[in-house]
Amino acid sequence: MERIIGTAAMGLRAPIIEEGDDLVSTVFNVVKRASDQKDITLRDKDVVCITESLVARAQGNYVTIEDIAKDVNEKFEGDELAILFPILSRNRFSILLKAFALTGKKLHICLSYPQDEVGNWLIDEMDLFNSDVNPYQDVLDMDQYKKLSGDYKHEFTGISYPDLYKEIAPNSEIHFLNNPVDALKFTDQILVSSIHTRNLVKRQLEENGAGKVLKLDEIMTSSINGSGFNEKYGLLGSNLSTGNKVKLFPRDGKIFVDSLQKRLIDEFDKQIEVMIYGDGAFKDPVGKIWELADPVVSPAYTSGLEGTPNEIKIKYIADNDLTELKGEDRDKAMRDRISHKESELKGKDETLGTTPRQITDLLGSLCDLTSGSGDKGTPIVLIQGYFDNYSDN
């Protein structure tokens, strides 16, 4: 019988995870139970995906705002600090700002405008366009910003983030700028708080005479008084847990995915891959927000998920090479073309229109949309058929 179903992503319900839980056994048991109930049949190249929050929770990878403040004070001198290019987020950044405010330093919060790095707007785009402000050169203070933006609030949250950040850190000044070097007008002690531009921004500052520049991934890289930490990502990938506690990105992810993979292969005798996923890498077309506020989509994955897809574009082949064929003959020719495609298609015309991204970025985005961010209760996602193609029966 001809196969109808291709790729399928299924959210699997899991118990609430607490610190110290054996997460390998928990995830294995969820997958095993689904298989025993005949909901799924495991196959080679199936992928079991676990959200990063489950891994971090099981590890107890948390820090308090007092821990963060202590680390910042130990790494920065003086009584002033610039917080450069933070994103606008209650979940991601407001709790970190609360920690920075505990340092006792005067903070210079430098926001990019008209939007932050991931697409949260600070100003109506047309108001900026119709003004005489040059966002590439002009540095605005809070009064100038208010004159320009009016009563602008975030489209989805209804919050004025400059007002919120000033409330969280009363001993701060809010500045609006886009050239990172302009932050040196206020202090030479700078904490680069952007995510994906952080390395370039740090280099620009260091080449222009900054005294001390660190990034969020250089804060909480080791334990403070027994706290959690992340030696690779520091505070990047963190989010709010409670009013005074932050959950960090998980660590030792490779150990976890390899251990779970071995358990699954031993049980099902199938080459099952495993990955940890966080934010997906996609952009909301309405709010214009880029979802990826984590430093990477997948902090750890098994070796079978390395690389990028090697696919031809069915539409391109059908429109250019198979126009003389119809019906079953065309379908058969397409399957034959796919089954005999080259092992390396990079740069070939037949790839036009395919998505040239890392496999883990594509899978992680699929997982993020499948599991959701609220109360679905499916922090484990099973993906089947992702590595199949039209020629597979």
Side-chain angles (χ1 to χ4, degrees), residues 86-236:
I87 65 171
L88 309 177
S89 172
R90 291 171 297 171
N91 176 44
R92 293 286 189 172
F93 190 76
S94 67
I95 186 69
L96 300 186
L97 181 58
K98 191 174 180 180
F100 302 151
L102 281 182
T103 63
K105 299 178 183 292
K106 179 179 180 179
L107 303 181
H108 295 274
I109 304 171
C110 301
L111 303 177
S112 59
Y113 72 101
Q115 58 185 321
D116 70 5
E117 181 187 20
V118 295
N120 294 290
W121 288 85
L122 279 163
I123 303 169
D124 183 279
E125 195 171 13
M126 285 304 297
D127 287 344
L128 178 61
F129 180 80
N130 290 325
S131 74
D132 59 0
V133 172
N134 183 345
Y136 299 103
Q137 295 181 351
D138 294 342
V139 178
L140 309 181
D141 60 24
M142 193 70 151
D143 289 339
Q144 292 168 317
Y145 162 75
K146 288 289 188 180
K147 182 178 179 181
L148 177 64
S149 67
D151 190 33
Y152 186 87
K153 291 182 173 58
H154 192 281
E155 180 178 3
F156 290 157
T157 65
I159 288 174
S160 167
Y161 281 94
D163 289 340
L164 174 65
Y165 285 1
K166 179 65 176 178
E167 180 182 342
I168 292 171
N171 188 30
S172 68
E173 292 181 4
I174 310 287
H175 313 281
F176 302 83
L177 55 92
N178 289 306
N179 183 347
V181 176
D182 285 332
L184 296 175
K185 297 175 180 178
F186 311 113
T187 176
D188 68 352
Q189 303 288 300
I190 311 232
L191 178 57
V192 177
S193 301
S194 60
I195 304 163
H196 309 293
T197 64
R198 63 190 186 275
N199 293 319
L200 175 62
V201 169
K202 180 176 181 177
R203 179 180 171 184
Q204 290 173 307
L205 290 164
E206 288 178 336
E207 291 182 358
N208 282 273
K212 182 68 173 288
V213 184
L214 292 176
K215 305 167 293 174
L216 288 180
D217 56 4
E218 295 173 297
I219 305 297
M220 295 308 305
T221 53
S222 59
S223 180
I224 301 290
N225 300 323
S227 72
F229 64 96
N230 191 303
E231 66 277 7
K232 184 174 183 180
Y233 295 115
L235 290 176
L236 285 181

Side-chain angles (χ1 to χ4, degrees), residues 6 39 113 152 215 229 286 302 315 326 343 381 386-387:
D39 291 338
Y113 72 101
Y152 186 87
K215 305 167 293 174
F229 64 96
V286 176
T302 50
K315 179 174 69 67
K326 303 295 181 184
S343 59
V381 176
Y386 186 82
F387 294 96

Side-chain angles (χ1 to χ4, degrees), residues 324-341:
E324 301 300 320
L325 299 176
K326 303 295 181 184
E328 292 184 3
D329 290 339
R330 183 174 53 191
D331 294 347
K332 182 178 182 300
M334 183 67 74
R335 291 189 176 97
D336 184 68
R337 179 69 175 267
I338 293 171
S339 64
H340 293 92
K341 65 186 177 184

Side-chain angles (χ1 to χ4, degrees), residues 50-57 59-63 92 96 195-196 198 216-217 219-220 228-240 246-253 276-280 292-300:
I50 303 93
T51 183
E52 57 84 19
S53 64
L54 255 65
V55 185
R57 286 176 65 83
Q59 292 173 341
N61 205 19
Y62 294 85
V63 297
R92 293 286 189 172
L96 300 186
I195 304 163
H196 309 293
R198 63 190 186 275
L216 288 180
D217 56 4
I219 305 297
M220 295 308 305
F229 64 96
N230 191 303
E231 66 277 7
K232 184 174 183 180
Y233 295 115
L235 290 176
L236 285 181
S238 66
N239 50 42
L240 182 148
V246 176
K247 180 195 69 60
L248 299 179
F249 222 36
R251 60 180 190 269
D252 300 326
I276 300 169
Y277 68 94
D279 281 345
L292 186 57
D294 287 327
V296 291
V297 173
S298 176

